[in-house]
PDB file of all heavy atoms in Angstrom:
ATOM      1  N   SER A   2      -9.587 -11.043  13.303  1.00 78.00           N
ATOM      2  CA  SER A   2      -8.202 -11.457  13.119  1.00 78.00           C
ATOM      3  C   SER A   2      -7.708 -11.062  11.729  1.00 78.00           C
ATOM      4  O   SER A   2      -8.498 -10.812  10.818  1.00 78.00           O
ATOM      5  CB  SER A   2      -8.074 -12.970  13.299  1.00 78.00           C
ATOM      6  OG  SER A   2      -8.577 -13.648  12.159  1.00 78.00           O
ATOM      7  N   ALA A   9     -12.213 -11.749   4.241  1.00 95.00           N
ATOM      8  CA  ALA A   9     -13.358 -10.875   3.967  1.00 95.00           C
ATOM      9  C   ALA A   9     -13.021  -9.887   2.852  1.00 95.00           C
ATOM     10  O   ALA A   9     -13.835  -9.650   1.953  1.00 95.00           O
ATOM     11  CB  ALA A   9     -13.775 -10.137   5.237  1.00 95.00           C
ATOM     12  N   GLY A  16     -16.045 -10.793  -5.078  1.00 96.00           N
ATOM     13  CA  GLY A  16     -17.475 -10.673  -5.316  1.00 96.00           C
ATOM     14  C   GLY A  16     -17.786  -9.649  -6.382  1.00 96.00           C
ATOM     15  O   GLY A  16     -18.690  -9.833  -7.202  1.00 96.00           O
ATOM     16  N   ALA A  20     -18.402 -11.445  -9.924  1.00 93.00           N
ATOM     17  CA  ALA A  20     -19.866 -11.527  -9.779  1.00 93.00           C
ATOM     18  C   ALA A  20     -20.288 -12.752  -8.982  1.00 93.00           C
ATOM     19  O   ALA A  20     -21.328 -13.343  -9.232  1.00 93.00           O
ATOM     20  CB  ALA A  20     -20.546 -11.499 -11.145  1.00 93.00           C
ATOM     21  N   LYS A  21     -19.469 -13.123  -7.998  1.00 89.00           N
ATOM     22  CA  LYS A  21     -19.767 -14.308  -7.199  1.00 89.00           C
ATOM     23  C   LYS A  21     -20.744 -14.017  -6.064  1.00 89.00           C
ATOM     24  O   LYS A  21     -21.290 -14.933  -5.472  1.00 89.00           O
ATOM     25  CB  LYS A  21     -18.486 -14.902  -6.622  1.00 89.00           C
ATOM     26  CG  LYS A  21     -17.599 -15.512  -7.679  1.00 89.00           C
ATOM     27  CD  LYS A  21     -16.367 -16.122  -7.083  1.00 89.00           C
ATOM     28  CE  LYS A  21     -15.530 -16.746  -8.176  1.00 89.00           C
ATOM     29  NZ  LYS A  21     -14.318 -17.359  -7.661  1.00 89.00           N
ATOM     30  N   VAL A  60     -17.043  -5.484 -14.375  1.00 97.00           N
ATOM     31  CA  VAL A  60     -16.478  -5.238 -13.049  1.00 97.00           C
ATOM     32  C   VAL A  60     -16.862  -3.851 -12.545  1.00 97.00           C
ATOM     33  O   VAL A  60     -17.384  -3.708 -11.429  1.00 97.00           O
ATOM     34  CB  VAL A  60     -14.940  -5.409 -13.057  1.00 97.00           C
ATOM     35  CG1 VAL A  60     -14.344  -5.000 -11.715  1.00 97.00           C
ATOM     36  CG2 VAL A  60     -14.564  -6.851 -13.398  1.00 97.00           C
ATOM     37  N   VAL A  68     -22.310   0.814  -5.151  1.00 97.00           N
ATOM     38  CA  VAL A  68     -22.332   2.134  -4.516  1.00 97.00           C
ATOM     39  C   VAL A  68     -23.632   2.888  -4.794  1.00 97.00           C
ATOM     40  O   VAL A  68     -23.988   3.779  -4.032  1.00 97.00           O
ATOM     41  CB  VAL A  68     -21.087   2.984  -4.870  1.00 97.00           C
ATOM     42  CG1 VAL A  68     -19.812   2.282  -4.396  1.00 97.00           C
ATOM     43  CG2 VAL A  68     -21.011   3.301  -6.342  1.00 97.00           C
TER      44      VAL A  68
END
Side-chain angles (χ1 to χ4, degrees):
S2 75
K21 291 182 179 180
V60 174
V68 299

